[in-house]
């Protein structure tokens, strides 16, 4: 092997075998396929190379060697072959000078891709035969000489295609074709688990998860997006029209309700021992759940188990310790635990008084330190009877303080008197779960929607709802397939078919809608939804999503719990996606609106007061019974604020089952986007 130089001066090998192959191809173009003649001519060329550029001196450029080879062909009587050789070399030289290879870090599942409406090409770099030779050597374990021959063949194919740009995927396919022609196993185009340096750097600097978990999550998410979800769903996720949560753990359930009857089989003994068993069961359940574990009656069971000598504060501390989940820095690991604390429904007599005291002690503890127990979420439960219980008024005040100070706190309004928050019957109930959580980008879906009335724009949401429903089912099919971390694993954990049942048509999926205030304002400016009827418009939009995403498929019907996006990082991603989509579609009114908006995310648009007849379309819709976290009612819409009388009115006059309250002022949510510019 002799030394030569590329056009940019970098060292390049000059092999007699490769030169002979090029000369033979030129001869073959003229109808003379003579391997012996090509070998002889290659030896002559290298003889003149050694004379012109003696060893130890400056190495020749490859273009100079090519000119010399063409001259040898011409002077040996093969003028046509010389012309074919020069033409081929010119095409390959153009590839080396002009071809750009579109390369970038592997796109992560949270990287927002531009819609397929045109736009700039991804980053690219100039073609380098030497660089690709090193890649082929590394990935196929070939020696240098055959790897160079493979890359030379790829270069010839690229020259024949006359491309100005080529994707890395195309070049890998051409490399595999060259390997196959030589009888070698194609290995360059196979799926590889890769991540970018940027992602690794972020993982090392992240405080949200250990570096190994943060680095592995993008890998799992990228391949889960391709292997579990269909092409249309994956494309919508990449473009930000919807967002699939939990891709890094696709077999984990999003949410599960774990009654005390499943967590604690043996309820004998003091509350501390009972809660220790519950904590152990929760720790075993955590790997199966990505988002939230609901314990609907554990607080009531602990209170009912307390004896006369148990101090309420001690039982409250034991309960909170059983439910807490924190790392060494006080962070909240996934999944969070959501506990229900009843404000009423206590038993009569002394036992009921102890139950009331223990729940009151828990509420006092949490209200005094709202930032404590970050991995614990609270649902305050009432059927309105708390209004008739003066002895519990202080605890109700603490519950209202929690609703204001802890954003994840929910209020549950119970209408069925038979719904016992303490589960004294202790019977095993069907297991309720959510297979996945999906967020839809309302402004992006409605960017091009126009019409004279709401019925004209609702079809624009149909595609997002269809893809969300498809994602729910795709995730559930994978989770119920018998894998140890899916539904099957949870059923085995709780004792199998004889102790727990999972009904296919009794589950709730989590659907979140981002940008409701933006969508409503956009429709108002376009004359589709009159401003006095924004409450009705919100009910129509969310109700349509609930209806379309809850449709039956293959004998399985998932009811949808509609909420708003709670995750800040996802809100930022969806905002960027909506802005990019509006730019590509020419929706200038949406772009202007996004810059002007001061509406806090997730607050339902209601007329004050809340029970005004104009709010009736929003208060009476069926999905209000399953309203998810994130969609909040402004506290200012309740005359007199949060009171037990207001709760009784909500139970009597609305279909709300779960809701949270917003105390924020308009404009407070704006920093969510602008802050990112300065990081």
């Amino acid at each position: 092997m002799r030394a030569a130089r590329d056009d940019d001066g970098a060292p390049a090998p000059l092999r007699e075998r490769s030169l002979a192959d090029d000369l033979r191809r030129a001869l073959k173009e003229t109808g003379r396929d003579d391997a012996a003649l090509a070998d002889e001519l290659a030896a002559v060329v290298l003889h003149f190379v050694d004379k012109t550029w003696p060893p130890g001196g400056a190495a020749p450029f490859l273009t100079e060697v090519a000119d010399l080879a063409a001259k040898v062909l011409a002077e040996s009587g093969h003028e046509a072959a010389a012309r074919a050789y020069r033409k081929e070399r010119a095409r390959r030289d153009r590839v080396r000078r002009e071809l750009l290879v579109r390369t970038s870090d592997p796109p992560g599942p949270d990287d927002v891709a531009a819609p397929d409406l045109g736009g700039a090409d991804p980053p690219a770099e100039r073609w380098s035969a030497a660089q690709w030779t090193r890649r082929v050597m590394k990935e196929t374990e070939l020696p240098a000489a055959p790897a160079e021959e493979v890359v030379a063949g790829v270069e010839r194919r690229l020259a024949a295609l006359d491309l100005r740009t080529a994707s890395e995927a195309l070049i890998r396919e051409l490399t595999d074709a060259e390997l196959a022609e030589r009888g070698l196993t194609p290995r360059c185009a196979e799926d590889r688990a890769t991540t970018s340096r940027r992602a690794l750097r972020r993982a090392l600097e992240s405080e949200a998860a250990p570096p190994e978990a943060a680095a592995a999550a993008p890998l799992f998410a990228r391949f889960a997006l391709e292997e579990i979800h269909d092409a249309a769903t994956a494309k919508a996720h990449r473009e930000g029209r919807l967002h699939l949560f939990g891709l890094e753990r696709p077999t984990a359930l999003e949410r599960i309700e774990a009654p005390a009857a499943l967590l604690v089989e043996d309820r004998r003994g003091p509350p501390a021992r009972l809660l220790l068993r519950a904590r152990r069961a929760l720790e075993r359940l955590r790997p199966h759940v990505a988002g939230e574990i609901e314990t609907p009656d554990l607080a009531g069971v602990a209170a009912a188990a307390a004896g006369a000598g148990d101090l309420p504060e001690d039982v409250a501390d034991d309960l909170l310790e059983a439910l807490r989940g924190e790392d060494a820095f006080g962070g909240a690991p996934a999944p969070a635990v959501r506990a229900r604390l009843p404000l009423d429904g206590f038993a009569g007599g002394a036992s009921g008084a102890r139950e009331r005291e223990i729940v009151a002690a828990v509420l006092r503890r949490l209200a005094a330190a709202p930032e404590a127990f970050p991995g614990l979420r609270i649902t305050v439960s009432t059927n309105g009877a708390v209004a008739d219980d003066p002895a519990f008024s202080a605890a109700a005040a603490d519950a209202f303080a929690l609703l204001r100070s802890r954003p994840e706190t929910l209020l549950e309004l119970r209408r069925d008197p038979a719904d016992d928050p303490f589960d004294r019957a202790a019977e095993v109930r069907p297991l309720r779960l959510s297979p996945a959580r999906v967020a839809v980008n309302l402004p992006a879906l409605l960017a091009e929607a126009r019409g004279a009335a709401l019925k004209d724009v609702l079809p624009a949401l149909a595609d997002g709802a269809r893809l969300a429903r498809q994602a729910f089912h795709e995730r559930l099919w994978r989770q119920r397939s018998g894998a140890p971390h899916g539904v099957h694993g949870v059923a085995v954990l709780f004792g199998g078919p004889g102790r727990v049942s999972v009904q296919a048509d009794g589950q709730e999926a989590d659907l979140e809608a981002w940008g409701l205030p933006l969508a409503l304002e956009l429709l108002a400016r376009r004359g589709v939804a009159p401003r006095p009827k924004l409450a009705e418009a919100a009910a129509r939009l969310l109700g349509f999503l609930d209806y379309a995403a809850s449709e039956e498929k293959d004998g399985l019907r998932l009811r949808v719990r509609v909420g708003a996006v709670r995750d800040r990082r996802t809100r930022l991603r969806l905002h960027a996606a909506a802005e990019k989509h509006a730019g590509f579609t020419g929706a200038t009114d949406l772009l202007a609106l996004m810059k002007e908006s001061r509406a806090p995310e997730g607050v339902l648009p209601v007329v004050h007061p809340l029970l005004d007849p104009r709010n009736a379309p929003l208060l009476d819709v069926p999905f209000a019974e399953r309203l998810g976290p994130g969609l909040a009612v402004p506290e200012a819409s309740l005359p007199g604020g949060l009171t037990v009388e207001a709760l009784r009115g909500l139970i009597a006059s609305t279909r709300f089952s779960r809701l949270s309250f917003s105390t924020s002022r308009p404009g407070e949510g704006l920093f969510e986007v602008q802050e990112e510019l300065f990081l």
Side-chain angles (χ1 to χ4, degrees):
M1 182 186 71
R2 294 165 173 79
R5 288 180 289 173
D6 271 330
D7 292 342
D8 57 3
L14 177 58
R15 301 183 188 275
E16 185 173 356
R17 181 72 265 152
S18 297
L19 180 59
D21 288 344
D22 290 343
L23 293 172
R24 182 181 178 182
R25 287 187 182 86
L27 291 168
K28 192 175 180 180
E29 286 286 325
T30 63
R32 183 174 181 178
D33 187 5
D34 192 334
L37 177 59
D39 291 343
E40 183 178 334
L41 292 174
V44 173
V45 172
L46 293 179
H47 171 72
F48 283 110
V49 168
D50 290 340
K51 288 185 62 176
T52 309
W53 296 277
F61 286 98
L62 289 177
T63 53
E64 295 174 325
V65 176
D67 292 340
L68 184 56
K71 185 177 181 181
V72 168
L73 279 171
E75 292 183 355
S76 62
H78 303 91
E79 288 285 349
R83 289 193 297 271
Y85 182 83
R86 289 192 182 95
K87 183 179 179 180
E88 175 67 16
R89 291 303 310 183
R91 292 162 64 184
R92 291 179 62 179
D93 288 342
R94 186 171 64 249
V95 168
R96 297 189 177 209
R97 290 193 313 269
E98 301 177 6
L99 181 69
L100 295 178
V101 181
R102 296 193 298 272
T103 60
S104 63
D105 288 337
D110 289 339
D111 293 335
V112 179
D116 286 344
L117 302 170
D121 290 332
E125 61 183 27
R126 196 172 68 174
W127 160 261
S128 170
Q131 178 181 349
W132 275 95
T133 298
R134 290 192 294 270
R135 289 192 184 188
V136 171
M137 292 173 61
K138 180 179 179 181
E139 295 179 9
T140 65
E141 300 180 357
L142 284 175
E148 290 166 6
E149 293 180 12
V150 169
V151 174
V154 171
E155 194 172 76
R156 283 191 293 271
R157 290 173 184 263
L158 291 170
L161 292 171
D162 195 24
L163 299 174
R164 293 295 182 270
T165 63
S167 66
E168 183 174 330
L170 172 62
I171 295 176
R172 288 188 175 276
E173 292 292 344
L174 296 178
T175 303
D176 270 359
E178 287 291 328
L179 289 168
E181 284 191 1
R182 289 164 172 78
L184 301 172
T185 303
R187 295 179 60 182
C188 288
E190 64 184 3
D191 290 338
R192 298 179 303 150
T194 60
T195 189
S196 65
R197 292 184 177 181
R198 180 182 61 178
L200 289 174
R201 183 171 62 252
R202 287 178 176 176
L204 291 172
E205 298 171 354
S206 173
E207 298 179 359
E212 60 274 13
L219 295 179
F220 285 112
R222 187 177 302 119
F223 283 93
L225 191 62
E226 300 293 340
E227 296 298 324
I228 295 179
H229 299 286
D230 65 8
T233 307
K235 180 173 177 287
H237 174 88
R238 290 195 177 96
E239 293 180 357
R241 289 182 289 125
L242 58 80
H243 182 86
L244 307 176
F245 290 88
L247 282 170
E248 66 279 3
R249 298 179 60 195
T251 60
L253 301 172
E254 170 59 31
R255 175 173 48 85
I256 188 169
E257 181 180 295
L262 297 178
L263 292 176
V264 187
E265 184 174 2
D266 183 3
R267 300 193 185 185
R268 294 172 298 178
R273 186 175 300 172
L274 180 147
L275 293 170
L276 181 61
R277 298 191 192 105
R279 176 170 184 141
R280 186 163 54 243
L282 288 173
E283 292 302 321
R284 294 177 62 198
L285 183 59
R286 282 183 185 277
H288 300 273
V289 185
E292 197 171 84
I293 300 174
E294 297 182 356
T295 59
D297 57 354
L298 190 61
V301 169
D310 294 316
L311 295 177
E313 289 76 11
D314 293 341
V315 179
D317 287 343
D318 290 338
L319 175 63
L320 291 174
E321 287 298 325
L323 296 174
R324 75 184 303 169
E326 299 174 6
D327 58 22
F329 296 96
V337 174
R338 177 171 295 280
R340 183 165 67 173
L341 296 177
L343 297 182
D344 39 40
F346 303 106
S351 61
R354 286 194 300 273
E355 294 170 357
R356 185 184 292 108
E357 291 172 356
I358 291 168
V359 172
V362 176
L363 290 170
R364 279 197 305 271
R365 174 81 178 275
L366 292 173
E371 72 286 350
F373 305 103
L376 176 60
R377 299 171 182 174
I378 299 298
T379 295
V380 179
S381 170
T382 180
N383 60 12
V386 66
D388 303 323
D389 189 355
F392 208 55
S393 58
D398 290 333
F400 298 152
L402 282 181
L403 286 166
R404 296 186 182 100
S405 59
R406 291 178 71 112
E408 295 288 351
T409 304
L410 292 179
L411 176 66
E412 180 185 64
L413 302 174
R414 307 193 313 273
R415 290 178 172 79
D416 187 358
D419 185 8
D420 186 354
F422 289 83
D423 190 24
R424 294 182 177 88
E427 62 184 31
V428 177
R429 292 175 292 185
L431 194 64
R432 293 203 306 172
L433 54 89
S434 171
R437 180 159 58 114
V438 177
V440 293
N441 192 331
L442 291 180
L445 293 175
L446 295 173
E448 300 176 84
R450 298 180 183 275
L454 271 174
K455 63 181 179 62
D456 300 321
V457 303
L458 286 179
L461 301 180
D463 187 52
R466 177 185 61 82
L467 293 173
R469 184 179 70 248
Q470 180 72 15
F472 294 144
H473 289 278
E474 288 167 344
R475 196 73 66 86
L476 184 56
W477 298 139
R478 179 59 60 96
Q479 290 164 350
R480 65 185 296 186
S481 63
H485 294 290
V487 177
H488 174 75
V490 173
V492 172
L493 172 66
F494 285 137
R499 190 158 185 269
V500 61
S501 64
V502 182
Q503 298 176 356
D505 59 350
Q507 313 307 331
E508 288 182 354
D510 289 12
L511 179 66
E512 297 183 348
W514 179 82
L516 178 61
L518 287 170
L520 293 173
E521 179 65 21
L522 179 68
L523 296 180
R525 293 190 181 187
R526 290 179 177 177
V528 177
R531 293 188 185 279
K533 295 188 176 182
L534 286 185
E536 180 180 352
R540 294 279 299 277
L541 293 178
L542 298 178
F544 181 85
L545 288 174
D546 173 41
Y547 164 76
S550 298
E551 287 183 343
E552 185 174 345
K553 179 180 175 64
D554 299 331
L556 172 66
R557 181 178 177 86
L558 289 174
R559 303 198 323 160
V560 169
R561 187 168 77 167
V562 180
V565 177
R566 296 163 284 163
D567 180 67
R568 176 181 179 271
R569 182 177 176 183
T570 303
R571 293 200 302 269
L572 293 174
R573 178 179 186 268
L574 294 176
H575 186 284
E579 195 169 29
K580 182 174 290 187
H581 195 88
F584 275 103
T585 58
T588 55
D589 53 352
L590 177 57
L591 284 173
L593 174 60
M594 295 181 73
K595 295 178 181 179
E596 303 168 6
S597 175
R598 297 294 187 272
E601 169 63 26
V603 178
L604 290 171
V606 295
V607 179
H608 296 191
L610 182 61
L611 299 182
D612 186 285
R614 288 173 290 180
N615 293 324
L618 187 59
L619 306 184
D620 294 337
V621 288
F623 77 82
E625 299 173 358
R626 290 171 278 111
L627 201 65
L631 279 176
V633 171
E635 186 180 351
S637 66
L638 294 176
L642 272 174
T643 62
V644 291
E645 290 77 13
L647 298 188
R648 176 176 281 179
L650 288 175
I651 293 173
S653 306
T654 74
R655 294 180 69 165
F656 283 147
S657 245
R658 308 181 188 95
L659 71 154
S660 54
F661 289 92
S662 170
T663 57
S664 61
R665 297 180 297 276
E668 288 186 353
L670 184 63
F671 83 98
E672 293 283 9
V673 175
Q674 292 188 343
E675 178 189 12
E676 192 77 358
L677 301 177
F678 304 98
L679 295 180

